[in-house]
Amino acid sequence: MMIHPEPTHEPDSGRLDADVLIVGAGVTGIYQLYMARQAGFSVRVLEAGAGVGGTWFWNRYPGCRFDSESYTYAYLFSKELFDEWEWHEQFAGQPETERYLNHVVDRFDLRRHIRFDTWVTSMTFDEPTGTWTVAADDGSNFRSRYVIAATGVLSVPFYPDVPGRQDFRGQAFHTGLWPASPVDFTGKRVAVIGTGSSGVQIAPVIVGDAASLNVYQRSANWCTPLNNAPITPEEQEQLRAGFEAMREVLNASTAGFLHPANERSAFDDTAEERQAFFETMWRSPGFSKLSSNYSDVLFDEAANAEWCEFIIRKIRDIVQDPDTAERLIPNDHGFGGKRPPFVTGYYEMFNDPKVSLVDLQLTPIMRITERGIETADGEQEFDIIVWATGFDFGTGALLRMGIRGRDGLTLADHWAEGPKTFLGVQTTGFPNMFFPGGPHAAAGNNPRYNGDQVEFITRTLTFLGDHGFDTIEVGPEAENAWTAMVDRGSGQSPFGEASYFFGANIPGKPRKYLLNSGGRPKLFKEFAKVEANGYEAFRLSRSSDGGDGRQG
Ligand SMILES: Cc1cc2nc3c(=O)[nH]c(=O)nc-3n(C[C@H](O)[C@H](O)[C@H](O)COP(=O)(O)OP(=O)(O)OC[C@H]3O[C@@H](n4cnc5c(N)ncnc54)[C@H](O)[C@@H]3O)c2cc1C
């Protein structure tokens, strides 16, 4: 059992509920809680859900699982934790990940700092005292010096604007808000709307029990096999023995994965060699099809087209009905233009006579009816509709939290043209507020990026305490420079503007790149620079200064 230091920073004269108030108890919020406690701060976490886990609490749908290898997604701050937890699969399913996060919370005695079922509805900065007041939907209020919104990038489920959604008399579920009690698909006529990462995960898992399954596809995606496998006892031993080496590789990796980069270009190889290599890629695990593929496959049109042709041949080989196969071939983007899903048995599922593909490009949904779904082709009756229609990515949660900073500035106004951040951790006009794992944060294996930010934020809070400052706000120059870097870099991103990484799935959302263009090396470099120059990019002050602190 670990012994944890008691907080050394007491809340000011009892007026504050905590030094640090964290919103969200997902992977990021839990780590932030652990780190801030280790650094000696009093911490309170507010979480809308009834349990910990964030993504892995809400997305309980059958088939939900990682596309990151379990052990590279896990926390790496404690070798003991790594040794004692046994991941069963290369890509763990949701139940295992939720169990893991609960284990971490209890193992490090963190649960007592978390208040569940608490939906934050407003966060207001009080300039004279340099503190935040956070209000929740149950009427409770909390005051803290620092607020850390670990509210996630994929935590606001999105429904397309289809008329009649509320009219449906059967059962309807969004994959991102799945109920805790299991849904029984036995003998049911089921519709799955959406063929992004969640839709293509759930469909093959529920099809066995269902009487029929209709998959409603707006645009096809480049699905490739996840190639999941159990972790054998020998591999378990190797993982433990190789912990330090793995951590080093992950720390040096731009995207936070173990998959080695490939130096070769597609046309360094002959046509036969390319086919053999693509076959290796097809059989390789998860994201290695991006990370370890030919170095130009995501960036060179001809190389990308060759890889797409390979996948098209696979689709045609697997799917017996030629018309269904053709409709499953993406026609609006190349591989990587949108976040490519990884699948188990997805294409094969279409050979089951009870499965139909509905192409919404040919027959769009007109409305949801009491009995089912009406497309341009007529009405189809269902018992269950599954909405696998994604999330308001990146900014969704932050912009729904009623955040008001200095001079009453709302975050919604400040980000009206898209998010503006420095290092994806702070934005100008919102002193003492941080948002690890938010926009401009990750571009790969999320916990690795988010963890980097959490560690930087924790060091920053310690720096402030050690130097007698209690207010920190990034200056507009640094914010503009980082945001411009992200925007410029988006041009080199494989993801195109049709991707939800640009907000393309949300009507009216500014088309701004929401990931981190620079990768982890850029983040590390900037963190080091900030810390070496004593936080020049920030305005630091003491609340007793009346705001006239040091200008960064
Ligand atoms: C189905 C699915 C699969 C994924 N697979 C991968 C993967 O393989 N690899 C990968 O790197 N990433 C994956 N992701 C991305 C995933 O979201 C991140 O990896 C990670 O879980 C984010 O953790 P987080 O703590 O930052 O946010 P979250 O896990 O989203 O947690 C945020 C928490 O904040 C809470 N919250 C939000 N707003 C409020 C509010 N106003 N008041 C109170 N609480 C609030 C939410 O309830 C939630 O619990 C996946 C996402 C989904 C949806």
Side-chain angles (χ1 to χ4, degrees):
M1 190 68 197
M2 290 203 41
I3 297 170
H4 298 280
E6 281 309 303
T8 50
H9 305 247
E10 285 305 314
D12 317 17
S13 356
R15 288 178 301 115
L16 300 182
D17 293 287
D19 299 321
V20 180
L21 196 138
I22 299 168
V23 187
V27 175
T28 310
I30 295 169
Y31 189 39
Q32 184 64 75
L33 166 59
Y34 171 81
M35 288 299 286
R37 290 282 305 152
Q38 287 289 307
F41 293 94
S42 64
V43 188
R44 198 90 192 252
V45 179
L46 306 180
E47 165 55 55
V52 299
T55 288
W56 311 105
F57 172 86
W58 296 108
N59 293 263
R60 310 175 167 276
Y61 61 86
C64 176
R65 65 175 64 253
F66 288 146
D67 293 331
S68 300
E69 278 78 357
S70 313
Y71 37 88
T72 70
Y73 188 96
Y75 294 119
L76 302 177
F77 64 82
S78 158
K79 170 85 168 100
E80 292 76 26
L81 171 65
F82 191 82
D83 282 349
E84 73 198 15
W85 185 263
E86 203 149 288
W87 292 101
H88 292 91
E89 292 178 277
Q90 295 288 339
F91 302 95
Q94 174 273 332
E96 190 171 359
T97 308
E98 190 189 14
R99 275 201 304 280
Y100 169 75
L101 292 171
N102 274 282
H103 168 75
V104 172
V105 163
D106 292 328
R107 162 78 161 75
F108 296 99
D109 190 20
L110 300 174
R111 198 174 293 275
R112 64 199 166 97
H113 305 288
I114 308 174
R115 192 178 195 266
F116 294 106
D117 299 308
T118 306
W119 191 276
V120 172
T121 49
S122 75
M123 295 196 345
T124 313
F125 183 64
D126 178 52
E127 205 160 348
T129 58
T131 61
W132 283 86
T133 300
V134 176
D137 59 343
D138 61 0
S140 49
N141 277 282
F142 306 86
R143 278 190 63 225
S144 65
R145 176 137 321 271
Y146 303 107
V147 289
I148 303 181
T151 45
V153 282
L154 288 165
S155 54
V156 177
F158 171 72
Y159 288 96
D161 188 16
V162 177
R165 185 163 61 82
Q166 307 301 343
D167 298 341
F168 182 57
R169 295 276 167 259
Q171 292 179 286
F173 307 97
H174 192 292
T175 49
L177 278 176
W178 202 262
S181 48
V183 177
D184 185 7
F185 289 95
T186 315
K188 303 281 169 55
R189 297 162 301 170
V190 183
V192 172
I193 304 179
T195 54
S197 295
S198 301
V200 301
Q201 273 188 340
I202 188 172
V205 177
I206 60 176
V207 68
D209 290 336
S212 65
L213 176 66
N214 288 41
V215 177
Y216 287 77
Q217 172 188 277
R218 188 189 53 176
S219 54
N221 278 302
W222 295 104
C223 300
T224 53
L226 178 65
N227 295 318
N228 194 16
I231 301 177
T232 63
E234 297 73 46
E235 287 168 333
Q236 221 50 276
E237 281 316 306
Q238 282 165 9
L239 282 170
R240 288 188 181 128
F243 174 74
E244 291 300 343
M246 178 183 86
R247 206 158 59 162
E248 264 174 46
V249 174
L250 289 172
N251 278 342
S253 147
T254 308
F257 286 113
L258 290 178
H259 314 300
N262 184 353
E263 302 290 307
R264 290 184 79 73
S265 301
F267 300 105
D268 289 345
D269 281 350
T270 64
E272 293 74 40
E273 286 166 340
R274 259 196 311 283
Q275 291 313 302
F277 178 75
F278 285 148
E279 189 62 45
T280 318
M281 283 289 102
W282 180 263
R283 293 173 193 283
S284 73
F287 274 103
S288 56
K289 293 165 205 82
L290 284 89
S291 311
S292 304
N293 214 321
Y294 286 122
S295 59
D296 52 352
V297 91
L298 297 177
F299 305 100
D300 178 82
E301 229 173 272
N304 193 285
E306 291 257 331
W307 172 229
C308 289
E309 273 305 321
F310 176 87
I311 301 173
I312 290 170
R313 276 197 296 279
K314 287 285 185 193
I315 298 173
R316 289 181 180 146
D317 279 354
I318 299 169
V319 181
Q320 288 155 7
D321 174 49
D323 183 47
T324 304
E326 288 319 295
R327 286 183 286 137
L328 286 167
I329 296 168
N331 59 11
D332 61 353
H333 65 286
F335 182 87
K338 292 183 186 175
R339 197 275 204 200
F342 301 105
V343 290
T344 306
Y346 178 64
Y347 292 125
E348 292 80 353
M349 173 191 83
F350 289 98
N351 295 332
D352 186 332
K354 65 182 171 183
V355 179
S356 326
L357 181 67
V358 183
D359 185 341
L360 298 178
Q361 291 177 6
L362 300 174
T363 53
I365 295 179
M366 313 304 283
R367 63 190 176 108
I368 306 299
T369 65
E370 284 188 13
R371 290 183 303 270
I373 299 176
E374 185 183 324
T375 66
D377 217 15
E379 188 187 23
Q380 181 87 31
E381 292 186 19
F382 294 107
D383 302 306
I384 300 179
I385 298 180
V386 174
W387 294 85
T389 45
F391 300 87
D392 183 351
F393 181 82
T395 51
L398 289 169
L399 292 177
R400 280 169 177 78
M401 237 183 341
I403 301 176
R404 268 178 195 276
R406 209 161 26 77
D407 305 323
L409 176 69
T410 66
L411 189 65
D413 279 342
H414 188 52
W415 285 4
E417 308 292 319
K420 294 189 274 186
T421 82
F422 181 50
L423 309 176
V425 294
Q426 259 219 336
T427 185
T428 308
F430 298 81
N432 290 0
M433 181 181 96
F434 304 88
F435 40 87
H440 299 177
N445 194 9
N446 280 271
R448 304 282 66 86
Y449 283 88
N450 304 354
D452 300 338
Q453 292 182 310
V454 163
E455 288 161 17
F456 170 73
I457 291 165
T458 310
R459 292 195 302 273
T460 299
L461 300 187
T462 301
F463 171 90
L464 296 174
D466 289 351
H467 292 80
F469 294 113
D470 53 22
T471 309
I472 180 166
E473 177 186 351
V474 68
E477 300 79 14
E479 173 175 274
N480 288 336
W482 183 262
T483 305
M485 184 283 293
V486 170
D487 287 345
R488 266 196 320 275
S490 71
Q492 278 101 56
S493 158
F495 304 116
E497 287 203 20
S499 157
Y500 67 74
F501 295 135
F502 283 84
N505 59 328
I506 308 295
K509 190 164 172 166
R511 294 289 182 270
K512 288 286 183 180
Y513 195 51
L514 297 163
L515 296 179
N516 164 9
S517 300
R520 289 179 84 206
K522 176 85 177 162
L523 261 188
F524 282 142
K525 204 171 120 210
E526 291 296 322
F527 290 154
K529 199 164 121 193
V530 165
E531 291 173 87
N533 68 27
Y535 289 78
E536 271 176 18
F538 294 83
R539 182 173 189 270
L540 308 176
S541 58
R542 297 170 182 87
S543 36
S544 55
D545 292 343
D548 293 334
R550 200 211 69 192
Q551 294 281 342

